[in-house]
Amino acid sequence: QGYFGENDIGLIGERLLQIVLGGALSVAVAWFVLPVKSRPVLRRRVADCLAPLTDALAAARRAPGEVGRHQGSFVDGLAALKLVAPAFIAHRRVHRLSGAGFGHPADVIDAVYGCAEPLSVIAAEVEQNPDAFAEPAVARLLKAVIGNVVGARRFIGRRPEAEYVPLPDEPSEGVVVDALRRIDEHMRVICELGGVGGYGFGHLWAHAHRGQDAPGGDPGQAGPGHVQQDQPGGQPGEVLRVADGGLSR
């Protein structure tokens, strides 16, 4: 019974209503507080994954024995990224149900996840064959992919020199070539989403730019940030550039 002699049956509806109201208040508070603290953490976690990915690809040609170590750092970064991913994935569901447009931070998370399997393939191949990237066409492809990984890191940070360059159309085939192209496809997605202004992906911490840049590249000498790729709603060959508040054509 209640404090005033009410029976249990009469209190069930009131207590259920109190539970629902309490849950609604909790969701309302989390809706406004969680994004403030989770987005800087997400930027850091993405940076912690892309930096060792860059290093692993650079080591594939220069120091094959180091690829496994950098892959381990990438896996550690993924484990940390997974801790913050559920909130963004849940928000993306709501985002899509509301009919909102192109791009969400959870898509960047998916792209980073997608690099794990092809990177493990590359690590296994260079362990068995240290000269897997000795062929000139494969070496050129590797260099181009490294450049686009660096470009993805810069796009997320809205660096003015950020750019994505489509891979050379060479008839190379093989396991490592396929793995490289898959990684590059994920970098293209990150480059397309990295400058979307509404989701707080600007101004990555300096940690995001740790690691090696593309062989022969100079971070200070690259051209204006752009994606040389067809975009949703755009014209073929249209260029996207980094601009204040997001990407612009």
PDB file of all heavy atoms in Angstrom, residues 56 59-61 63-69 71-72 118-133 175-176:
ATOM      1  N   ALA A  56      51.716   1.951 -41.441  1.00  0.00           N
ATOM      2  CA  ALA A  56      51.761   0.555 -41.903  1.00  0.00           C
ATOM      3  C   ALA A  56      51.938   0.485 -43.411  1.00  0.00           C
ATOM      4  O   ALA A  56      52.728  -0.319 -43.923  1.00  0.00           O
ATOM      5  CB  ALA A  56      50.486  -0.171 -41.481  1.00  0.00           C
ATOM      6  N   ALA A  59      55.460   1.486 -44.344  1.00  0.00           N
ATOM      7  CA  ALA A  59      56.421   0.438 -44.003  1.00  0.00           C
ATOM      8  C   ALA A  59      56.339  -0.755 -44.948  1.00  0.00           C
ATOM      9  O   ALA A  59      57.310  -1.509 -45.083  1.00  0.00           O
ATOM     10  CB  ALA A  59      56.189  -0.034 -42.565  1.00  0.00           C
ATOM     11  N   ALA A  60      55.195  -0.943 -45.614  1.00  0.00           N
ATOM     12  CA  ALA A  60      55.034  -2.092 -46.510  1.00  0.00           C
ATOM     13  C   ALA A  60      56.102  -2.120 -47.596  1.00  0.00           C
ATOM     14  O   ALA A  60      56.516  -3.200 -48.045  1.00  0.00           O
ATOM     15  CB  ALA A  60      53.641  -2.076 -47.144  1.00  0.00           C
ATOM     16  N   ARG A  61      56.562  -0.960 -48.011  1.00  0.00           N
ATOM     17  CA  ARG A  61      57.601  -0.898 -49.049  1.00  0.00           C
ATOM     18  C   ARG A  61      58.995  -0.712 -48.447  1.00  0.00           C
ATOM     19  O   ARG A  61      59.957  -1.324 -48.874  1.00  0.00           O
ATOM     20  CB  ARG A  61      57.292   0.266 -50.009  1.00  0.00           C
ATOM     21  CG  ARG A  61      58.363   0.476 -51.084  1.00  0.00           C
ATOM     22  CD  ARG A  61      58.319  -0.625 -52.128  1.00  0.00           C
ATOM     23  NE  ARG A  61      59.440  -0.549 -53.052  1.00  0.00           N
ATOM     24  CZ  ARG A  61      59.486   0.244 -54.116  1.00  0.00           C
ATOM     25  NH1 ARG A  61      58.461   1.043 -54.382  1.00  0.00           N
ATOM     26  NH2 ARG A  61      60.527   0.241 -54.916  1.00  0.00           N
ATOM     27  N   ALA A  63      60.022  -0.929 -44.953  1.00  0.00           N
ATOM     28  CA  ALA A  63      60.433  -1.790 -43.841  1.00  0.00           C
ATOM     29  C   ALA A  63      59.338  -2.818 -43.588  1.00  0.00           C
ATOM     30  O   ALA A  63      58.564  -2.680 -42.638  1.00  0.00           O
ATOM     31  CB  ALA A  63      60.696  -0.961 -42.591  1.00  0.00           C
ATOM     32  N   PRO A  64      59.225  -3.851 -44.423  1.00  0.00           N
ATOM     33  CA  PRO A  64      58.131  -4.820 -44.305  1.00  0.00           C
ATOM     34  C   PRO A  64      58.009  -5.445 -42.913  1.00  0.00           C
ATOM     35  O   PRO A  64      56.906  -5.793 -42.487  1.00  0.00           O
ATOM     36  CB  PRO A  64      58.484  -5.880 -45.360  1.00  0.00           C
ATOM     37  CG  PRO A  64      59.314  -5.147 -46.362  1.00  0.00           C
ATOM     38  CD  PRO A  64      60.102  -4.148 -45.582  1.00  0.00           C
ATOM     39  N   GLY A  65      59.119  -5.568 -42.221  1.00  0.00           N
ATOM     40  CA  GLY A  65      59.069  -6.169 -40.892  1.00  0.00           C
ATOM     41  C   GLY A  65      58.333  -5.331 -39.863  1.00  0.00           C
ATOM     42  O   GLY A  65      57.968  -5.834 -38.791  1.00  0.00           O
ATOM     43  N   GLU A  66      58.106  -4.059 -40.174  1.00  0.00           N
ATOM     44  CA  GLU A  66      57.433  -3.162 -39.238  1.00  0.00           C
ATOM     45  C   GLU A  66      55.915  -3.104 -39.456  1.00  0.00           C
ATOM     46  O   GLU A  66      55.203  -2.502 -38.650  1.00  0.00           O
ATOM     47  CB  GLU A  66      58.012  -1.745 -39.379  1.00  0.00           C
ATOM     48  CG  GLU A  66      59.480  -1.627 -38.994  1.00  0.00           C
ATOM     49  CD  GLU A  66      59.671  -1.847 -37.505  1.00  0.00           C
ATOM     50  OE1 GLU A  66      58.927  -1.255 -36.702  1.00  0.00           O
ATOM     51  OE2 GLU A  66      60.562  -2.648 -37.147  1.00  0.00           O
ATOM     52  N   VAL A  67      55.442  -3.697 -40.537  1.00  0.00           N
ATOM     53  CA  VAL A  67      54.012  -3.589 -40.848  1.00  0.00           C
ATOM     54  C   VAL A  67      53.157  -4.178 -39.736  1.00  0.00           C
ATOM     55  O   VAL A  67      52.138  -3.598 -39.330  1.00  0.00           O
ATOM     56  CB  VAL A  67      53.692  -4.269 -42.193  1.00  0.00           C
ATOM     57  CG1 VAL A  67      52.181  -4.274 -42.444  1.00  0.00           C
ATOM     58  CG2 VAL A  67      54.403  -3.562 -43.334  1.00  0.00           C
ATOM     59  N   GLY A  68      53.566  -5.324 -39.212  1.00  0.00           N
ATOM     60  CA  GLY A  68      52.788  -5.974 -38.158  1.00  0.00           C
ATOM     61  C   GLY A  68      52.652  -5.108 -36.920  1.00  0.00           C
ATOM     62  O   GLY A  68      51.581  -5.071 -36.297  1.00  0.00           O
ATOM     63  N   ARG A  69      53.718  -4.409 -36.556  1.00  0.00           N
ATOM     64  CA  ARG A  69      53.665  -3.540 -35.374  1.00  0.00           C
ATOM     65  C   ARG A  69      52.680  -2.401 -35.595  1.00  0.00           C
ATOM     66  O   ARG A  69      51.877  -2.085 -34.712  1.00  0.00           O
ATOM     67  CB  ARG A  69      55.054  -2.994 -35.058  1.00  0.00           C
ATOM     68  CG  ARG A  69      55.106  -2.071 -33.848  1.00  0.00           C
ATOM     69  CD  ARG A  69      56.540  -1.742 -33.473  1.00  0.00           C
ATOM     70  NE  ARG A  69      57.196  -0.983 -34.518  1.00  0.00           N
ATOM     71  CZ  ARG A  69      57.117   0.351 -34.635  1.00  0.00           C
ATOM     72  NH1 ARG A  69      56.382   1.044 -33.784  1.00  0.00           N
ATOM     73  NH2 ARG A  69      57.773   0.978 -35.596  1.00  0.00           N
ATOM     74  N   GLN A  71      50.219  -2.408 -37.698  1.00  0.00           N
ATOM     75  CA  GLN A  71      48.877  -2.982 -37.761  1.00  0.00           C
ATOM     76  C   GLN A  71      48.323  -3.187 -36.350  1.00  0.00           C
ATOM     77  O   GLN A  71      47.133  -2.959 -36.097  1.00  0.00           O
ATOM     78  CB  GLN A  71      48.890  -4.314 -38.508  1.00  0.00           C
ATOM     79  CG  GLN A  71      47.497  -4.911 -38.657  1.00  0.00           C
ATOM     80  CD  GLN A  71      47.519  -6.402 -38.988  1.00  0.00           C
ATOM     81  OE1 GLN A  71      48.572  -7.033 -38.886  1.00  0.00           O
ATOM     82  NE2 GLN A  71      46.387  -6.941 -39.357  1.00  0.00           N
ATOM     83  N   GLY A  72      49.182  -3.620 -35.433  1.00  0.00           N
ATOM     84  CA  GLY A  72      48.752  -3.770 -34.043  1.00  0.00           C
ATOM     85  C   GLY A  72      48.287  -2.451 -33.440  1.00  0.00           C
ATOM     86  O   GLY A  72      47.280  -2.406 -32.720  1.00  0.00           O
ATOM     87  N   PRO A 118      41.460  -5.364 -45.210  1.00  0.00           N
ATOM     88  CA  PRO A 118      42.499  -5.245 -46.236  1.00  0.00           C
ATOM     89  C   PRO A 118      43.881  -4.978 -45.656  1.00  0.00           C
ATOM     90  O   PRO A 118      44.887  -5.425 -46.213  1.00  0.00           O
ATOM     91  CB  PRO A 118      42.022  -4.077 -47.112  1.00  0.00           C
ATOM     92  CG  PRO A 118      40.976  -3.383 -46.337  1.00  0.00           C
ATOM     93  CD  PRO A 118      40.372  -4.391 -45.439  1.00  0.00           C
ATOM     94  N   LEU A 119      43.969  -4.274 -44.532  1.00  0.00           N
ATOM     95  CA  LEU A 119      45.280  -4.053 -43.915  1.00  0.00           C
ATOM     96  C   LEU A 119      45.850  -5.369 -43.393  1.00  0.00           C
ATOM     97  O   LEU A 119      47.060  -5.618 -43.513  1.00  0.00           O
ATOM     98  CB  LEU A 119      45.167  -3.049 -42.775  1.00  0.00           C
ATOM     99  CG  LEU A 119      46.486  -2.731 -42.051  1.00  0.00           C
ATOM    100  CD1 LEU A 119      47.527  -2.173 -43.018  1.00  0.00           C
ATOM    101  CD2 LEU A 119      46.240  -1.762 -40.896  1.00  0.00           C
ATOM    102  N   SER A 120      45.008  -6.233 -42.853  1.00  0.00           N
ATOM    103  CA  SER A 120      45.489  -7.538 -42.386  1.00  0.00           C
ATOM    104  C   SER A 120      45.973  -8.384 -43.560  1.00  0.00           C
ATOM    105  O   SER A 120      46.941  -9.151 -43.426  1.00  0.00           O
ATOM    106  CB  SER A 120      44.382  -8.273 -41.620  1.00  0.00           C
ATOM    107  OG  SER A 120      43.296  -8.615 -42.479  1.00  0.00           O
ATOM    108  N   VAL A 121      45.313  -8.238 -44.714  1.00  0.00           N
ATOM    109  CA  VAL A 121      45.765  -8.950 -45.914  1.00  0.00           C
ATOM    110  C   VAL A 121      47.153  -8.475 -46.327  1.00  0.00           C
ATOM    111  O   VAL A 121      48.042  -9.272 -46.642  1.00  0.00           O
ATOM    112  CB  VAL A 121      44.755  -8.751 -47.069  1.00  0.00           C
ATOM    113  CG1 VAL A 121      45.323  -9.278 -48.388  1.00  0.00           C
ATOM    114  CG2 VAL A 121      43.441  -9.443 -46.751  1.00  0.00           C
ATOM    115  N   ILE A 122      47.348  -7.163 -46.321  1.00  0.00           N
ATOM    116  CA  ILE A 122      48.652  -6.605 -46.687  1.00  0.00           C
ATOM    117  C   ILE A 122      49.727  -7.066 -45.712  1.00  0.00           C
ATOM    118  O   ILE A 122      50.838  -7.447 -46.121  1.00  0.00           O
ATOM    119  CB  ILE A 122      48.565  -5.072 -46.726  1.00  0.00           C
ATOM    120  CG1 ILE A 122      47.702  -4.627 -47.911  1.00  0.00           C
ATOM    121  CG2 ILE A 122      49.951  -4.438 -46.813  1.00  0.00           C
ATOM    122  CD1 ILE A 122      47.425  -3.138 -47.954  1.00  0.00           C
ATOM    123  N   ALA A 123      49.412  -7.053 -44.416  1.00  0.00           N
ATOM    124  CA  ALA A 123      50.387  -7.489 -43.415  1.00  0.00           C
ATOM    125  C   ALA A 123      50.777  -8.946 -43.628  1.00  0.00           C
ATOM    126  O   ALA A 123      51.962  -9.308 -43.522  1.00  0.00           O
ATOM    127  CB  ALA A 123      49.819  -7.284 -42.009  1.00  0.00           C
ATOM    128  N   ALA A 124      49.800  -9.787 -43.924  1.00  0.00           N
ATOM    129  CA  ALA A 124      50.089 -11.204 -44.150  1.00  0.00           C
ATOM    130  C   ALA A 124      50.926 -11.402 -45.413  1.00  0.00           C
ATOM    131  O   ALA A 124      51.851 -12.231 -45.445  1.00  0.00           O
ATOM    132  CB  ALA A 124      48.786 -11.990 -44.248  1.00  0.00           C
ATOM    133  N   GLU A 125      50.628 -10.628 -46.458  1.00  0.00           N
ATOM    134  CA  GLU A 125      51.363 -10.768 -47.721  1.00  0.00           C
ATOM    135  C   GLU A 125      52.816 -10.337 -47.577  1.00  0.00           C
ATOM    136  O   GLU A 125      53.715 -11.014 -48.074  1.00  0.00           O
ATOM    137  CB  GLU A 125      50.667  -9.948 -48.812  1.00  0.00           C
ATOM    138  CG  GLU A 125      49.379 -10.551 -49.324  1.00  0.00           C
ATOM    139  CD  GLU A 125      49.607 -11.881 -50.034  1.00  0.00           C
ATOM    140  OE1 GLU A 125      50.559 -11.989 -50.825  1.00  0.00           O
ATOM    141  OE2 GLU A 125      48.827 -12.812 -49.781  1.00  0.00           O
ATOM    142  N   VAL A 126      53.062  -9.205 -46.922  1.00  0.00           N
ATOM    143  CA  VAL A 126      54.456  -8.745 -46.803  1.00  0.00           C
ATOM    144  C   VAL A 126      55.257  -9.626 -45.846  1.00  0.00           C
ATOM    145  O   VAL A 126      56.478  -9.711 -45.952  1.00  0.00           O
ATOM    146  CB  VAL A 126      54.517  -7.266 -46.349  1.00  0.00           C
ATOM    147  CG1 VAL A 126      53.880  -6.359 -47.372  1.00  0.00           C
ATOM    148  CG2 VAL A 126      53.880  -7.075 -44.985  1.00  0.00           C
ATOM    149  N   GLU A 127      54.547 -10.299 -44.931  1.00  0.00           N
ATOM    150  CA  GLU A 127      55.253 -11.236 -44.050  1.00  0.00           C
ATOM    151  C   GLU A 127      55.749 -12.435 -44.846  1.00  0.00           C
ATOM    152  O   GLU A 127      56.855 -12.927 -44.616  1.00  0.00           O
ATOM    153  CB  GLU A 127      54.326 -11.694 -42.919  1.00  0.00           C
ATOM    154  CG  GLU A 127      55.008 -12.617 -41.920  1.00  0.00           C
ATOM    155  CD  GLU A 127      54.090 -13.015 -40.786  1.00  0.00           C
ATOM    156  OE1 GLU A 127      52.911 -12.586 -40.781  1.00  0.00           O
ATOM    157  OE2 GLU A 127      54.530 -13.771 -39.908  1.00  0.00           O
ATOM    158  N   GLN A 128      54.941 -12.893 -45.788  1.00  0.00           N
ATOM    159  CA  GLN A 128      55.333 -14.033 -46.614  1.00  0.00           C
ATOM    160  C   GLN A 128      56.264 -13.623 -47.751  1.00  0.00           C
ATOM    161  O   GLN A 128      57.141 -14.383 -48.151  1.00  0.00           O
ATOM    162  CB  GLN A 128      54.080 -14.701 -47.198  1.00  0.00           C
ATOM    163  CG  GLN A 128      53.155 -15.300 -46.141  1.00  0.00           C
ATOM    164  CD  GLN A 128      51.890 -15.875 -46.751  1.00  0.00           C
ATOM    165  OE1 GLN A 128      51.722 -15.909 -47.967  1.00  0.00           O
ATOM    166  NE2 GLN A 128      50.987 -16.340 -45.903  1.00  0.00           N
ATOM    167  N   ASN A 129      56.046 -12.405 -48.274  1.00  0.00           N
ATOM    168  CA  ASN A 129      56.836 -11.938 -49.404  1.00  0.00           C
ATOM    169  C   ASN A 129      57.208 -10.469 -49.199  1.00  0.00           C
ATOM    170  O   ASN A 129      56.430  -9.575 -49.558  1.00  0.00           O
ATOM    171  CB  ASN A 129      56.046 -12.108 -50.710  1.00  0.00           C
ATOM    172  CG  ASN A 129      56.813 -11.579 -51.912  1.00  0.00           C
ATOM    173  OD1 ASN A 129      58.040 -11.421 -51.871  1.00  0.00           O
ATOM    174  ND2 ASN A 129      56.096 -11.292 -52.994  1.00  0.00           N
ATOM    175  N   PRO A 130      58.375 -10.179 -48.636  1.00  0.00           N
ATOM    176  CA  PRO A 130      58.771  -8.789 -48.383  1.00  0.00           C
ATOM    177  C   PRO A 130      58.846  -7.928 -49.643  1.00  0.00           C
ATOM    178  O   PRO A 130      58.826  -6.700 -49.539  1.00  0.00           O
ATOM    179  CB  PRO A 130      60.159  -8.940 -47.732  1.00  0.00           C
ATOM    180  CG  PRO A 130      60.164 -10.322 -47.155  1.00  0.00           C
ATOM    181  CD  PRO A 130      59.356 -11.146 -48.106  1.00  0.00           C
ATOM    182  N   ASP A 131      58.931  -8.575 -50.818  1.00  0.00           N
ATOM    183  CA  ASP A 131      59.007  -7.830 -52.076  1.00  0.00           C
ATOM    184  C   ASP A 131      57.647  -7.695 -52.760  1.00  0.00           C
ATOM    185  O   ASP A 131      57.570  -7.467 -53.972  1.00  0.00           O
ATOM    186  CB  ASP A 131      59.986  -8.517 -53.034  1.00  0.00           C
ATOM    187  CG  ASP A 131      61.411  -8.516 -52.488  1.00  0.00           C
ATOM    188  OD1 ASP A 131      61.779  -7.518 -51.838  1.00  0.00           O
ATOM    189  OD2 ASP A 131      62.139  -9.503 -52.712  1.00  0.00           O
ATOM    190  N   ALA A 132      56.591  -7.820 -51.982  1.00  0.00           N
ATOM    191  CA  ALA A 132      55.245  -7.775 -52.568  1.00  0.00           C
ATOM    192  C   ALA A 132      54.950  -6.452 -53.259  1.00  0.00           C
ATOM    193  O   ALA A 132      54.123  -6.386 -54.176  1.00  0.00           O
ATOM    194  CB  ALA A 132      54.199  -8.044 -51.483  1.00  0.00           C
ATOM    195  N   PHE A 133      55.653  -5.399 -52.846  1.00  0.00           N
ATOM    196  CA  PHE A 133      55.408  -4.073 -53.430  1.00  0.00           C
ATOM    197  C   PHE A 133      56.565  -3.602 -54.288  1.00  0.00           C
ATOM    198  O   PHE A 133      56.684  -2.406 -54.581  1.00  0.00           O
ATOM    199  CB  PHE A 133      55.137  -3.053 -52.317  1.00  0.00           C
ATOM    200  CG  PHE A 133      53.837  -3.275 -51.600  1.00  0.00           C
ATOM    201  CD1 PHE A 133      53.787  -4.059 -50.460  1.00  0.00           C
ATOM    202  CD2 PHE A 133      52.665  -2.721 -52.070  1.00  0.00           C
ATOM    203  CE1 PHE A 133      52.601  -4.277 -49.792  1.00  0.00           C
ATOM    204  CE2 PHE A 133      51.461  -2.923 -51.416  1.00  0.00           C
ATOM    205  CZ  PHE A 133      51.427  -3.712 -50.273  1.00  0.00           C
ATOM    206  N   VAL A 175      46.405  -9.752 -54.901  1.00  0.00           N
ATOM    207  CA  VAL A 175      45.796  -9.623 -53.577  1.00  0.00           C
ATOM    208  C   VAL A 175      46.103  -8.266 -52.966  1.00  0.00           C
ATOM    209  O   VAL A 175      45.218  -7.584 -52.439  1.00  0.00           O
ATOM    210  CB  VAL A 175      46.293 -10.761 -52.658  1.00  0.00           C
ATOM    211  CG1 VAL A 175      45.772 -10.568 -51.247  1.00  0.00           C
ATOM    212  CG2 VAL A 175      45.859 -12.112 -53.196  1.00  0.00           C
ATOM    213  N   VAL A 176      47.372  -7.837 -53.032  1.00  0.00           N
ATOM    214  CA  VAL A 176      47.728  -6.558 -52.411  1.00  0.00           C
ATOM    215  C   VAL A 176      47.109  -5.384 -53.171  1.00  0.00           C
ATOM    216  O   VAL A 176      46.741  -4.376 -52.570  1.00  0.00           O
ATOM    217  CB  VAL A 176      49.259  -6.400 -52.301  1.00  0.00           C
ATOM    218  CG1 VAL A 176      49.838  -7.424 -51.349  1.00  0.00           C
ATOM    219  CG2 VAL A 176      49.934  -6.480 -53.655  1.00  0.00           C
TER     220      VAL A 176
END
